[in-house]
C-alpha cells in the first residue's frame, strides 16, 4: 500500500465531455486565409490608378460577360472571365468591409475548417464564392460596377456550419465540448435540419437581414457601395446544399439526431 507521502496530489476533475477550449481558437487553415485577405488588402496602399486596375482585373464585373458589347474593353481579357468568379472574394473595399466578413467567419469558419481540413475548406470557399458570383451575374447581367468581398463565401460557411452547429456537443449547443470534438459531431440530414426550430430561426434572421439590406439598398463604406445581397444568398444556398459533398464525417442517424434535439430542447 502506498504511503500518504507517495500519493499523487488531488487533481480537479475535468468537466463532463472533456476540456472546454475557447470557441474562437483558430485552426491554421482559417488563420492562413485571414492573413491572405489582410495581405491582399494592402493593395489600398498602391497608387489609385494601379489599385483601380487590380479591382477591374480581379473583381467580378457582370458586363464582362455581355456578348452584345463586343467593343467594350475591360482589363483582364478572357482569363478574367474565369478567375474573377473566385478572385473577387479576396478583395475588400475597406477595413470595415474586411473586418465585418472576418468577424462573421471566426465562429463558423473555425468549425468548418476543423471539420473539412485545409484542402476541402479552401475548395469549399472557392465554390461558394463562384455560386455567389453566378447569382450576382443572373440578377445584374448588365452591371459594370465590380463586385468584391468574401461575403458569399462567409455566407456559404455559415450555411454549412448550421448543419451541425446545434447538434449536441457542437459549438452552438448548450453542451459544447472542446473545439475539435465540437467540429466533428455528425451533421443533421438536410431534411431534418430544415425541421429544426433553431435552424429555421437562424435562417429567418439571416434572410431577414439580407432582405432589409437589399430593399433598403444599404451602403457599405465611405464609397457608398451597396451590399450585393443576391451573391450572399447564392453562396448561402450553395453552402447549405453542397455541404454533404465536402463533409468527411458520417451522417447522424435520424433517431440519434432526434434524441440530440430533444436533449438540447429540454435544457432551454
Amino acid at each position: 500500500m502506498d504511503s500518504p507521502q507517495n500519493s499523487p496530489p488531488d487533481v480537479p476533475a475535468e468537466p463532463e465531455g472533456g476540456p472546454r477550449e475557447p470557441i474562437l481558437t483558430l485552426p491554421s487553415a482559417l488563420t492562413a486565409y485571414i492573413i491572405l485577405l489582410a495581405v491582399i488588402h494592402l493593395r489600398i496602399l498602391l497608387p489609385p490608378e494601379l489599385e483601380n486596375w487590380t479591382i477591374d482585373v480581379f473583381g467580378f464585373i457582370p458586363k464582362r460577360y455581355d456578348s452584345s458589347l463586343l467593343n467594350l474593353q475591360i482589363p483582364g481579357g478572357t482569363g478574367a472571365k474565369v478567375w474573377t468568379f473566385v478572385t473577387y472574394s479576396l478583395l475588400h473595399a475597406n477595413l470595415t468591409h474586411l473586418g465585418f466578413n472576418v468577424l462573421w467567419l471566426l465562429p463558423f469558419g473555425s468549425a468548418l475548417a476543423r471539420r473539412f481540413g485545409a484542402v476541402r475548406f479552401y475548395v469549399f470557399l472557392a465554390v461558394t464564392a463562384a455560386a455567389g458570383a453566378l447569382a450576382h451575374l443572373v440578377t445584374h447581367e448588365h452591371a459594370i460596377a465590380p463586385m468584391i468581398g468574401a461575403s458569399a463565401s462567409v455566407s456559404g460557411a455559415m450555411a454549412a456550419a448550421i448543419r451541425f452547429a446545434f447538434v449536441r456537443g457542437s459549438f452552438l449547443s448548450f453542451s459544447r465540448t472542446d473545439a475539435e470534438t465540437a467540429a466533428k459531431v455528425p451533421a443533421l440530414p438536410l431534411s431534418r435540419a430544415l425541421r429544426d426550430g433553431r435552424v429555421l430561426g437562424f435562417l429567418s434572421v439571416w434572410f431577414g437581414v439580407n432582405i432589409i439590406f437589399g430593399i433598403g439598398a444599404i451602403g457599405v463604406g465611405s464609397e457608398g457601395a451597396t451590399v450585393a445581397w443576391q451573391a450572399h444568398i447564392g453562396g448561402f444556398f450553395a453552402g447549405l446544399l453542397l455541404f454533404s459533398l465536402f463533409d468527411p464525417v458520417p451522417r447522424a442517424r435520424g433517431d440519434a439526431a432526434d434524441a440530440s434535439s430533444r436533449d438540447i430542447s429540454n435544457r432551454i
Side-chain angles (χ1 to χ4, degrees):
M1 179 181 295
D2 290 335
S3 64
Q5 291 82 358
N6 295 331
S7 299
D10 291 336
V11 178
E14 291 181 348
E16 184 179 355
R20 296 171 64 89
E21 297 178 3
I23 192 171
L24 293 184
T25 301
L26 298 186
S28 57
L30 179 59
T31 301
Y33 179 70
I34 293 174
I35 291 174
L36 175 64
L37 294 180
V39 170
I40 289 175
H41 192 63
L42 293 177
R43 64 175 176 77
I44 63 173
L45 302 178
L46 296 172
E49 298 81 7
L50 190 53
E51 183 192 359
N52 290 335
W53 179 85
T54 62
I55 294 177
D56 288 339
V57 172
F58 298 106
F60 188 80
I61 304 176
K63 207 142 193 169
R64 201 190 302 273
Y65 306 90
D66 193 338
S67 59
S68 65
L69 301 174
L70 299 178
N71 296 323
L72 183 65
Q73 297 296 322
I74 301 179
T78 303
K81 292 184 176 182
V82 179
W83 65 60
T84 56
F85 269 89
V86 174
T87 56
Y88 82 92
S89 67
L90 303 176
L91 302 170
H92 289 84
N94 47 48
L95 282 175
T96 300
H97 188 201
L98 173 61
F100 190 78
N101 278 331
V102 169
L103 181 64
W104 279 109
L105 192 60
L106 289 179
F108 299 97
S110 292
L112 209 60
R114 286 190 174 91
R115 188 181 187 93
F116 284 177
V119 174
R120 281 191 179 93
F121 179 63
Y122 294 142
V123 173
F124 180 84
L125 292 179
V127 169
T128 50
L134 182 60
H136 185 70
L137 176 60
V138 169
T139 54
H140 297 78
E141 60 178 326
H142 300 300
I144 197 168
M147 178 181 71
I148 58 176
S151 297
S153 294
V154 174
S155 298
M158 294 171 69
I162 65 171
R163 292 284 299 273
F164 62 91
F166 298 106
V167 175
R168 183 181 183 184
S170 193
F171 68 103
L172 290 183
S173 77
F174 287 94
S175 55
R176 183 177 65 86
T177 56
D178 65 279
E180 288 294 333
T181 304
K184 301 293 178 63
V185 298
L188 295 173
L190 181 58
S191 59
R192 176 66 186 83
L194 294 178
R195 298 196 306 271
D196 187 294
R198 297 155 298 169
V199 174
L200 292 176
F202 183 95
L203 290 174
S204 298
V205 172
W206 189 91
F207 276 100
V209 169
N210 276 274
I211 290 173
I212 291 172
F213 269 73
I215 293 176
I218 298 175
V220 291
S222 58
E223 296 84 359
T226 57
V227 174
W229 60 274
Q230 294 93 338
H232 297 188
I233 292 176
F236 192 90
F237 271 116
L240 189 66
L241 298 175
L242 300 179
F243 167 78
S244 296
L245 298 180
F246 290 85
D247 189 21
V249 181
R251 292 282 81 75
R253 300 194 319 272
D255 56 344
D258 289 339
S260 175
S261 178
R262 287 194 300 271
D263 180 82
I264 296 175
S265 297
N266 291 333
R267 295 169 181 261
I268 295 177

